[in-house]
């Protein structure tokens, strides 16, 4: 009798084990930070880091400097980006704190002390600039910077770095640093309203980013995009989208039964760190522009209009939304965070939970009614930015394009990195 009872228990335990295993397989997966990226100078290359601090404008040193048009005496300095000067992406920055010991950077021996911004670019000597805090500057020459039609004040970084960039770009320019004491840049009002309700004060100020303190992208979405691009030579990397944080599914918590679909990030209202008291708050999808078509390895922007080049061409077929911009696709999700998280650090490998928020202005929906198979806007002429570099576009193409008025153009510029 005891033997028969034991035989009966075996299948019960087996069923219980299977149910537990199935529950594990279908449990909501976690996310993991795959990589972190900071872009000290707007439109230049990134510094890829293992750990970085959050500040009152985003990630530490992110878009702290801009290259601007004109000489020191110019009344207003318009910011240069890759859409006018794509070779900016080939400028590789390093930020390093040099101590007593002898060290090297880009293969050169360094004998200096303090925190330095080092720049490397093709056919240029390396450039070294000591980074000074605002209160450490004996004289701070303030100048106006124009970004997306708005004017802000910044600190001119002097003659040496201006001369270095002028020689590299072949255009007279200056380099301006964000002034923390006078910075008044904030996220657009419409994106602040789009954030889900929170009880804490949220970081709204920004450095020289386009709009938001943080840009987050998801590996599964990039994989889906590349699967849709027919030309194998046009495959895209995350560098085209210039994110701050790249997320992937945590392998230890995901399976074939709970796999996250591409563009799941559209519905992430919050990202909560598992082992840290840090929360990211979504400000919505990220609208993209012509800069996504610039090759980040060569600094070459393809000829013609964005609609003819990847990844813009393929994204327009399924990632344009009426509640954002019907004439521009989206890729990635913008975030901010509570002011209580300022000075906290995030690291590669950190685990995050996501909280799904379904809202009318953040619904994930295909826009097949507005886009035809070629990704063009049905019933409308294709639009082009007045600021776009169109010197490589034929006269016939240009005549067929409809230019935007000034107010529309300024909004359209958002998405430029």
């Amino acid at each position: 009798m005891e033997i028969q009872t034991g035989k009966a228990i075996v299948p019960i335990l087996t069923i219980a084990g299977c149910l537990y295993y199935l529950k594990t397989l279908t449990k909501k997966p976690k996310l993991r930070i795959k990589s972190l990226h900071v872009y000290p100078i707007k439109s230049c290359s990134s510094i890829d880091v293992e750990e970085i601090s959050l500040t009152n404008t985003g990630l530490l040193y992110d878009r702290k400097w801009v290259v601007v048009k004109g000489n020191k005496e110019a009344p207003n300095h318009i910011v240069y980006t890759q859409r006018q000067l794509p070779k900016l992406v080939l400028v590789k920055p390093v930020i390093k704190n040099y101590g007593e010991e002898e060290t090297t950077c880009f293969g050169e021996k360094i004998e200096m002390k303090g925190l330095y911004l080092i720049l490397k670019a093709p056919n240029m000597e390396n450039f070294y600039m000591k980074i000074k805090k605002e209160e450490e500057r004996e004289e701070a020459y303030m100048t106006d910077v124009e970004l997306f039609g708005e004017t802000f004040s910044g600190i001119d970084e002097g003659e040496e770095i201006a001369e270095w960039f002028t020689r590299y770009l072949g255009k007279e320019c200056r380099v301006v640093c964000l002034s923390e004491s006078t910075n008044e840049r904030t996220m657009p009002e419409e994106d602040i309203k789009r954030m889900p309700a929170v009880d804490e004060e949220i970081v709204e100020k920004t450095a020289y980013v386009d709009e938001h303190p943080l840009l987050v992208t998801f590996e599964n979405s990039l994989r889906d995009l590349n699967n849709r691009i027919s030309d194998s030579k046009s495959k895209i990397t995350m560098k085209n989208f210039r994110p701050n944080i790249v997320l992937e599914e945590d392998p230890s918590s995901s399976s074939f039964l709970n796999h996250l679909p591409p563009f799941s990030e559209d519905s992430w209202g919050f990202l909560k760190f598992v082992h840290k008291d840090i929360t990211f708050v979504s400000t919505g999808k990220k609208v993209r522009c012509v800069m996504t078509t610039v090759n980040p390895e060569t600094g070459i922007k393809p000829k013609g209009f964005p609609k003819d080049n990847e990844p813009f061409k393929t994204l327009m077929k399924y990632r344009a939304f009426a509640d954002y911009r019907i004439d521009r696709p989206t890729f990635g999700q913008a975030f901010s965070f509570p002011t209580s998280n300022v000075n906290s650090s995030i690291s590669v490998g950190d685990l995050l939970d996501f909280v799904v928020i379904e809202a009318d202005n953040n619904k994930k929906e295909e826009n097949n009614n507005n886009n035809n198979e070629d990704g063009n806007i049905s019933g409308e002429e294709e639009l082009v930015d007045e600021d776009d570099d169109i010197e490589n576009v034929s006269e016939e193409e240009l005549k067929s394009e409809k230019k935007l008025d000034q107010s529309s153009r300024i909004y359209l510029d958002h998405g430029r990195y």
Side-chain angles (χ1 to χ4, degrees):
M1 189 70 178
E2 292 179 0
I3 296 176
Q4 292 177 350
T5 303
K7 289 182 177 180
I9 291 175
V10 171
I12 294 175
L13 292 174
T14 303
I15 293 172
C18 289
L19 291 174
Y20 177 79
Y21 179 64
L22 184 61
K23 182 180 179 181
T24 301
L25 290 178
T26 56
K27 187 178 179 180
K28 187 177 79 169
K30 298 185 185 304
L31 299 165
R32 184 173 69 179
I33 294 182
K34 180 179 180 181
S35 59
L36 294 168
H37 311 276
V38 179
Y39 307 82
I41 304 178
K42 188 175 180 69
S43 271
C44 293
S45 186
S46 67
I47 299 177
D48 306 329
V49 298
E50 292 294 314
E51 183 179 18
I52 194 73
S53 298
L54 301 175
T55 74
N56 59 4
T57 58
L59 296 187
L60 181 65
Y61 296 121
D62 192 46
R63 277 84 172 190
K64 185 177 176 69
W65 290 273
V66 285
V67 180
V68 298
K69 181 179 181 180
N71 58 32
K72 187 175 181 178
E73 286 71 33
N76 205 19
H77 295 93
I78 298 174
V79 173
Y80 275 133
T81 72
Q82 285 180 37
R83 67 189 310 169
Q84 300 92 21
L85 301 171
K87 66 186 295 186
L88 276 169
V89 74
L90 301 182
V91 177
K92 176 66 178 175
V94 169
I95 292 178
K96 192 171 180 63
N97 195 1
Y98 294 104
E100 298 289 342
E101 70 281 358
E102 184 179 274
T103 186
T104 61
C105 183
F106 295 131
E108 293 182 347
K109 288 185 178 181
I110 305 300
E111 296 181 2
M112 55 182 68
K113 297 178 184 179
L115 189 64
Y116 279 80
L117 171 67
I118 306 104
L119 304 177
K120 181 179 181 180
N123 303 313
M124 294 290 291
E125 74 283 0
N126 297 341
F127 181 82
Y128 299 81
M129 182 187 77
K130 190 167 186 176
I131 299 174
K132 295 182 180 179
K133 294 181 180 179
E134 199 163 342
E135 60 271 20
E136 296 174 345
R137 296 173 183 262
E138 295 180 1
E139 294 183 7
Y141 183 85
M142 304 300 294
T143 188
D144 287 336
V145 172
E146 183 178 325
L147 185 59
F148 308 139
E150 297 181 280
T151 301
F152 307 92
S153 62
I155 303 172
D156 186 281
E157 286 288 11
E159 301 301 326
E160 291 185 2
I161 191 169
E163 191 271 339
W164 190 90
F165 267 104
T166 295
R167 283 191 291 115
Y168 174 65
L169 297 172
K171 294 179 181 292
E172 190 169 24
C173 57
R174 308 293 294 182
V175 175
V176 177
C177 177
L178 183 76
S179 169
E180 295 183 9
S181 63
T182 64
N183 180 30
E184 297 179 353
R185 294 203 72 225
T186 61
M187 290 190 293
E189 186 65 29
E190 62 268 23
D191 293 324
I192 295 174
K193 293 178 179 178
R194 186 178 280 124
M195 289 191 296
V198 293
D199 295 330
E200 298 183 74
E201 181 183 359
I202 299 297
V203 168
E204 295 181 0
K205 281 194 173 184
T206 66
Y208 292 126
V209 297
D210 285 3
E211 299 163 316
H212 313 98
L214 300 173
L215 176 60
V216 176
T217 57
F218 187 36
E219 274 292 315
N220 291 8
S221 303
L222 178 67
R223 192 176 302 115
D224 176 79
L225 170 62
N226 277 321
N227 287 340
R228 293 171 183 257
I229 295 176
S230 56
D231 183 5
S232 60
K233 295 181 180 179
S234 299
K235 299 302 182 183
I236 300 301
T237 71
M238 276 303 183
K239 289 183 178 181
N240 290 77
F241 298 106
R242 299 175 66 79
N244 294 120
I245 303 169
V246 179
L247 296 179
E248 62 182 357
E249 289 183 77
D250 173 39
S252 65
S253 64
S254 62
S255 71
F256 66 95
L257 291 178
N258 68 351
H259 182 66
L260 288 173
F263 300 100
S264 301
E265 64 270 29
D266 286 353
S267 62
W268 297 343
F270 300 93
L271 293 173
K272 297 179 178 290
F273 283 67
V274 174
H275 302 298
K276 298 177 179 178
D277 187 20
I278 299 175
T279 299
F280 291 164
V281 184
S282 173
T283 66
K285 303 179 184 74
K286 182 60 190 174
V287 178
R288 311 317 302 233
C289 73
V290 64
M291 274 186 55
T292 59
T293 67
V294 175
N295 187 319
E297 305 299 333
T298 64
I300 295 175
K301 185 171 71 173
K303 296 180 180 181
F305 291 98
K307 67 183 179 65
D308 301 318
N309 300 297
E310 300 294 358
F312 200 97
K313 178 180 178 180
T314 295
L315 285 172
M316 276 302 298
K317 296 178 182 179
Y318 73 119
R319 292 295 302 170
F321 300 89
D323 53 337
Y324 285 82
R325 284 198 63 88
I326 196 61
D327 57 342
R328 290 293 184 267
T330 64
F331 188 97
Q333 195 83 346
F335 285 88
S336 187
F337 47 88
T339 55
S340 60
N341 290 158
V342 171
N343 296 325
S344 300
S345 294
I346 61 176
S347 305
V348 171
D350 280 349
L351 297 180
L352 300 87
D353 282 320
F354 59 89
V355 178
V356 172
I357 299 292
E358 293 291 349
D360 290 341
N361 62 1
N362 204 28
K363 285 183 180 178
K364 183 181 177 185
E365 58 185 41
E366 300 248 343
N367 205 24
N368 294 327
N369 292 331
N370 295 304
N371 296 289
N372 61 26
E373 293 181 356
D374 294 327
N376 294 330
I377 304 169
S378 299
E380 298 183 20
E381 293 181 70
E382 186 72 18
L383 303 181
V384 60
D385 234 335
E386 288 181 357
D387 276 353
D388 277 336
D389 179 2
I390 54 177
E391 61 185 2
N392 293 322
V393 180
S394 68
E395 185 176 352
E396 289 72 20
E397 286 181 297
L398 189 57
K399 287 181 179 179
S400 70
E401 300 293 335
K402 176 183 178 182
K403 290 189 176 182
L404 300 176
D405 61 24
Q406 181 69 14
S407 61
S408 297
R409 181 183 63 79
I410 291 173
Y411 183 82
L412 186 72
D413 278 346
H414 290 176
R416 185 192 323 178
Y417 272 71

